[in-house]
Amino acid sequence: MPKIGRNDPCPCGSGKKYKHCHLPIEEAKQAEQLHLRRAVDTLIPKIITAAQEQTDAIPAAYDRFWDGKYTLEQMSELDDLEGRGAERFLVWFAFDYVLEDGSTLAERLAGASDSDFSTEEQQLLRSWAPVRLRPYVANTVQKGQGMTVSDLMDGSRYEIVDHAASRRVLVDEVLVAHLVPAGEAFFIGGAAAHLTEDTRSKMREFLSLHLEAMQRDDPAAGWPELLHTRSEVLNHFVMQLPVEEPNPSLLESIITQTRASLMLAGESLGLGKRDDAAE
Ligand SMILES: [Zn+2]
């Protein structure tokens, strides 16, 4: 869009100068967007801290997210073992894990009239309550600015503002992330898993198997139901990937093993898979 001069006629056609018509409105909008953006940066750490305080609920959630692979004592090593694993777990716990009262921590925080949160943070929290972990494909990347992604499962497109991620991510790569809205833009909430392009079709196949298994109990279930109740399976896929080089035969064996274990687990598949996975 060409830049409009302050003294130019306003493009809305009012006949007034831009500075006396839509310029102040635009400026207010930009200021609000900036405030919201700053609130994203302060709110995420607060959510992570609130998650760390849920010491009663963490053990069961941790087991589910890591599929029994790590002990709680290993939490501090997870950032090395699993690329920012501790933070990815805590963000998942806050947004996706259903607590005893039937709500997620994010939903609980959104409902609380808490003076720990600024007005902007409270506004964000209300719009963040429905956010869950999902897989996205990068469609376009503007290095150091942001990117356009589409949901791997339903194809919905989002404009993400993110300096750090857009520096590393390439077109067609996969992000397993919490996309949080702030005004007109989306941001990546906390740490995300970043996967190479070759994982894209296997991830879809992997999730299809899980959906198929879920539909045995609930024939009407679709992607939203799967990702709303079992989004940890996304991490189970991520956990099995090689850290170094792409490995097509390993991707294939993830699918084969998933198919086998879902068949074996049958109807009782889902929570508490740890025992079923024993050899
Ligand atoms: Zn105007």
Side-chain angles (χ1 to χ4, degrees), residues 94-202:
F95 282 99
D96 297 54
Y97 187 74
V98 177
L99 299 164
E100 249 176 20
D101 63 358
S103 59
T104 64
L105 180 61
E107 286 163 353
R108 220 188 252 184
L109 295 174
S113 54
D114 203 317
S115 53
D116 286 350
F117 299 110
S118 69
T119 314
E120 283 90 359
E121 287 170 347
Q122 288 178 18
Q123 186 186 332
L124 289 177
L125 274 171
R126 283 191 293 273
S127 65
W128 289 6
V131 171
R132 296 293 182 278
L133 188 64
R134 293 187 78 112
Y136 300 93
V137 180
N139 299 126
T140 62
V141 178
Q142 295 88 43
K143 284 246 175 277
Q145 294 179 45
M147 53 192 144
T148 321
V149 299
S150 55
D151 188 304
L152 184 68
M153 309 324 297
D154 70 17
S156 317
R157 289 169 76 91
Y158 302 90
E159 297 280 342
I160 301 182
V161 180
D162 191 305
H163 302 294
S166 62
R167 245 175 245 130
R168 300 188 305 265
V169 175
L170 303 172
V171 168
D172 285 341
E173 288 188 328
V174 175
L175 283 173
V176 179
H178 292 87
L179 279 202
V180 291
E184 290 166 2
F186 285 83
F187 293 81
I188 297 177
H194 169 198
L195 315 180
T196 48
E197 183 195 339
D198 59 318
T199 59
R200 196 168 38 145
S201 62
K202 291 299 165 195

Side-chain angles (χ1 to χ4, degrees), residues 9-18 20-23 25:
C10 189
C12 77
S14 64
K16 290 192 243 173
K17 287 181 178 181
Y18 185 45
H20 293 310
C21 187
H22 272 78
L23 177 63
I25 299 171

Side-chain angles (χ1 to χ4, degrees), residues 153 201-215 223 226 233 255 258-259 262:
M153 309 324 297
S201 62
K202 291 299 165 195
M203 165 79 92
R204 211 181 267 135
E205 210 177 319
F206 175 85
L207 291 174
S208 303
L209 289 174
H210 279 282
L211 180 59
E212 227 173 87
M214 191 179 185
Q215 285 169 339
W223 298 122
L226 180 73
V233 300
I255 297 299
T258 301
R259 186 172 281 125
L262 289 177

Side-chain angles (χ1 to χ4, degrees), residues 52-118:
Q52 283 168 320
E53 287 164 0
Q54 303 296 316
T55 46
D56 289 346
I58 280 180
Y62 184 89
D63 224 35
R64 242 174 81 179
F65 190 72
W66 296 112
D67 206 15
K69 188 178 174 188
Y70 299 111
T71 63
L72 263 184
E73 289 69 41
Q74 286 174 290
M75 176 93 98
S76 57
E77 302 161 40
L78 280 177
D79 282 339
D80 292 329
L81 294 170
E82 294 280 354
R84 296 180 79 190
E87 183 174 323
R88 285 197 287 118
F89 162 69
L90 289 166
V91 174
W92 173 82
F93 175 80
F95 282 99
D96 297 54
Y97 187 74
V98 177
L99 299 164
E100 249 176 20
D101 63 358
S103 59
T104 64
L105 180 61
E107 286 163 353
R108 220 188 252 184
L109 295 174
S113 54
D114 203 317
S115 53
D116 286 350
F117 299 110
S118 69

